[in-house]
Amino acid sequence: MSEGTGHEGIDEVFRALADPSRRRLLDSLNARNGQRLRELCAGLDMTRQSVSKHLAILEAANLVATRRQGREKLHYLNAEPVNAIAERWISQYHRERVRALADLKTALEQPMSSTEFVYTSYIATTPEKLWQALTDPAFTSRYWGATFTSDWTAGSAISWHMFGVTIASPEQVILEAEPYRRLSYTWHDFTPEFAGKVGFSDDFLATVAAEPRSKVTFELEPAGPLVKLTVVHDGFEPGSAVLSSVSQGWPAILSNLKTLLETGQTLPTADDEDPKAAGRGAEAAARAAADA
């Protein structure tokens, strides 16, 4: 299993990516995420046993995440290991290797033809500490730039506080709350005040505000000295602009969370960073996905 830290984890990722058949599997998931084993087999000239073996190697390297749906297993491409390499060890590589990593990272983060975002990370922490990091404003403000007001019980309201804006709505609620195991809540409203802070255009605000409300779920699972964190953001319709936007934001937020819990520090940011830069980037990503 790739921990996302240390040379052993990096080597495991590169070994997994070295095989062209495994890269084809990742390409297949990048084109259509959330496939069952039989669907992956149908699109590739490989036996079911060979596909299973390749998927096991990709899953061990954390390049593929899985979720159970009834008796079947769904497979998702997971960009976390490549993000970790790019953000933590990229300075160790020759310039040409850096460029190759950057191209791969960009490809893996492109919005996929799916109705959900799935991202798995292994963090050297405890379930208790990770739960605190997901709910305590002292933590969320550092790696996310947002804080929340809630008593973190199912059915309770949750208010968001970002960029000096408070977003509250009767439909912003906690859906599930099993401390140290599972947390789920509905996503926030897209208000004119929030849009103004992050630089959304009027047209884009109208688009995202008209979409059905999505939800995010955090699944915490002990994995030896680590905690496996799976983030599932779903409830989207095909072609969702919100999905394209959050697919750009989640990898940075979760990489920052992992770094904070493992090192006590957050990832470096540009001194002139402002909310509108991220907002414009999210809008551009959504428009690019719609034009693809």
Side-chain angles (χ1 to χ4, degrees):
M1 170 170 41
S2 173
E3 299 179 9
T5 59
H7 294 288
E8 182 179 349
I10 298 173
D11 291 344
E12 196 171 351
V13 172
F14 279 113
R15 281 194 294 269
L17 291 171
D19 186 279
S21 294
R22 290 195 282 274
R23 293 197 299 271
R24 287 173 62 198
L25 282 168
L26 293 179
D27 287 340
S28 178
L29 290 174
N30 197 35
R32 185 167 63 86
N33 221 13
Q35 294 188 57
R36 297 166 176 81
L37 176 60
R38 66 173 181 273
E39 294 172 316
L40 288 166
C41 292
L44 299 169
D45 186 22
M46 286 188 281
T47 66
R48 185 183 182 94
Q49 184 178 19
S50 295
V51 173
S52 295
K53 288 181 177 179
H54 285 307
L55 286 172
I57 293 171
L58 291 169
E59 190 172 352
N62 201 23
L63 287 161
V64 166
T66 60
R67 294 183 67 209
R68 285 284 178 184
Q69 187 176 81
R71 299 177 61 182
E72 295 188 288
K73 182 188 288 187
L74 304 183
H75 299 80
Y76 299 85
L77 187 149
N78 185 44
E80 193 276 338
V82 178
N83 284 324
I85 292 171
E87 290 166 354
R88 297 190 181 190
W89 296 282
I90 202 165
S91 62
Q92 299 180 26
Y93 295 95
H94 184 272
R95 180 173 297 178
E96 290 306 313
R97 293 184 181 180
V98 169
R99 184 175 294 114
L101 279 172
D103 290 344
L104 178 59
K105 179 174 183 288
T106 299
L108 290 179
E109 288 183 358
Q110 292 302 310
M112 304 160 195
S113 55
S114 175
T115 56
E116 59 187 342
F117 173 86
V118 179
Y119 194 96
T120 297
S121 181
Y122 289 86
I123 305 176
T125 188
T126 65
E128 293 80 8
K129 194 73 170 179
L130 180 51
W131 181 270
Q132 183 183 11
L134 293 172
T135 58
D136 188 338
F139 278 89
T140 60
S141 61
R142 293 188 64 190
Y143 69 85
W144 195 332
T147 60
F148 307 91
T149 300
S150 180
D151 65 8
W152 302 108
T153 59
S156 294
I158 177 172
S159 297
W160 296 59
H161 313 282
M162 296 179 287
F163 316 128
V165 174
T166 294
I167 307 173
S169 165
E171 296 182 11
Q172 290 175 194
V173 295
I174 306 296
L175 300 172
E176 298 178 75
E178 298 179 52
Y180 323 130
R181 294 183 58 189
R182 185 178 176 91
L183 176 65
S184 180
Y185 49 82
T186 56
W187 204 240
H188 63 78
D189 284 356
F190 291 93
T191 66
E193 293 79 12
F194 173 78
K197 286 290 185 179
V198 299
F200 284 175
S201 67
D202 290 343
D203 287 346
F204 190 67
L205 171 60
T207 297
V208 295
E211 290 192 11
R213 187 180 301 273
S214 61
K215 73 177 188 297
V216 62
T217 302
F218 303 89
E219 300 171 352
L220 290 65
E221 181 182 346
L226 311 173
V227 178
K228 178 183 178 182
L229 172 65
T230 301
V231 177
V232 181
H233 197 153
D234 59 7
F236 300 105
E237 296 181 337
S240 166
V242 178
L243 174 57
S244 297
S245 298
V246 300
S247 295
Q248 295 293 310
W250 273 123
I253 292 169
L254 296 171
S255 294
N256 219 10
L257 167 62
K258 176 180 172 69
T259 301
L260 177 60
L261 286 172
E262 292 184 344
T263 71
Q265 303 295 323
T266 55
L267 293 168
T269 58
D271 292 337
D272 59 351
E273 186 181 66
D274 71 272
K276 291 187 177 181
R280 287 192 294 266
E283 181 170 345
R287 294 192 184 282
D291 294 338

